[in-house]
Amino acid sequence: DQQVKQNSPSLSVQEGRISILNCDYTNSMFDYFLWYKKYPAEGPTFLISISSIKDKNEDGRFTVFLNKSAKHLSLHIVPSQPGDSAVYFCAAKGVDSNYQLIWGAGTKLIIKP
Amino acid sequence: DTGVSQDPRHKITKRGQNVTFRCDPISEHNRLYWYRQTLGQGPEFLTYFQNEAQLEKSRLLSDRFSAERPKGSFSTLEIQRTEQGDSAMYLCASSPPGQTVQETQYFGPGTRLLVL
């Protein structure tokens, strides 16, 4: 059973508009959530994270929102740029492990010029 | 280039053969992680080292898998008696000392394994 789900395999957004990537989880014991970005032929790179005690974290064009009651988080990218085209992974960490992350399947974001 | 490096980048092997992958972390990173990623899925945690000590190991890691980091620098991941289901991308990551969450993991490009 997938504890972290990214239900949209792909998303296409016009350059300059907002990109919203969604992630749902089932385990209420997750205490930390992260977003990673991955370009082809490269490993994932860390983008932004949020602790379960917060509901929002912002870093430049990237904002992550956490809705604990709905077990849902989202990544907003504003404005979207061509270099944002990549696969985005949502990952979660449980309180019972310091280093083990549970990853979603990823969403491929395509920014159209 | 001072990033995480992995060798080889690609490996094709026949079922039943043993394979070994190497990971060189960023120098002075004392934490090292191995992940497996299959097509259309996110990475799955396999194991974690702090220096030379293997501190955490996933239940996914069967007895055919073994990882070492003998001197606390590079690490090797060996798969014995490979099966077709082992075909995947094997990712290595490292992080510097003092971190308590995984936000600062730096990933290598991965080794893609194909078992025929």
Side-chain angles (χ1 to χ4, degrees), chain A residues 36 43 46 49 97 99 101 103-104, chain B residues 31 42-43 56 102-103 107-108:
Chain A
Y36 280 80
F46 169 73
S49 63
S97 170
Y99 302 103
L101 286 179
W103 296 65
Chain B
R31 302 173 196 265
E56 212 167 318
Q102 292 180 285
E103 60 196 345
F107 282 82

Side-chain angles (χ1 to χ4, degrees), chain B residues 67-95:
Chain B
E68 292 183 345
R69 195 182 182 200
K71 296 181 181 178
S73 56
F74 73 92
S75 175
T76 57
L77 177 69
E78 181 183 15
I79 309 174
Q80 295 182 327
R81 305 180 303 282
T82 52
E83 302 172 357
Q84 288 181 326
D86 297 330
S87 296
M89 175 74 84
Y90 289 84
L91 292 164
C92 175
S94 69
S95 63

Side-chain angles (χ1 to χ4, degrees), chain B residues 10-42:
Chain B
H10 303 274
K11 178 71 177 178
I12 300 174
T13 190
K14 292 183 179 178
R15 189 162 48 102
Q17 297 294 305
N18 299 344
V19 294
T20 300
F21 308 140
R22 176 179 170 127
C23 171
D24 286 272
I26 294 171
S27 60
E28 298 177 357
H29 279 195
N30 66 332
R31 302 173 196 265
L32 188 145
Y33 315 79
W34 284 100
Y35 293 85
R36 178 175 66 189
Q37 184 179 14
T38 52
L39 201 61
Q41 301 298 316

Side-chain angles (χ1 to χ4, degrees), chain A residues 14-73:
Chain A
Q14 200 73 35
E15 181 180 355
R17 299 288 187 99
I18 182 171
S19 295
I20 301 176
L21 297 121
N22 294 304
C23 178
D24 297 292
Y25 62 96
T26 57
N27 189 342
S28 58
M29 299 303 288
F30 288 146
D31 65 348
Y32 212 84
F33 302 90
L34 305 92
W35 284 94
Y36 280 80
K37 179 166 80 171
K38 184 182 182 304
Y39 293 119
E42 295 183 12
T45 55
F46 169 73
L47 197 55
I48 192 169
S49 63
I50 188 166
S51 165
S52 61
I53 62 173
K54 295 187 175 181
D55 55 19
K56 178 182 174 181
N57 188 26
E58 193 171 350
D59 183 3
R61 296 187 298 114
F62 302 93
T63 304
V64 56
F65 295 92
L66 175 62
N67 183 333
K68 284 181 65 178
S69 60
K71 294 192 176 69
H72 177 84
L73 65 157

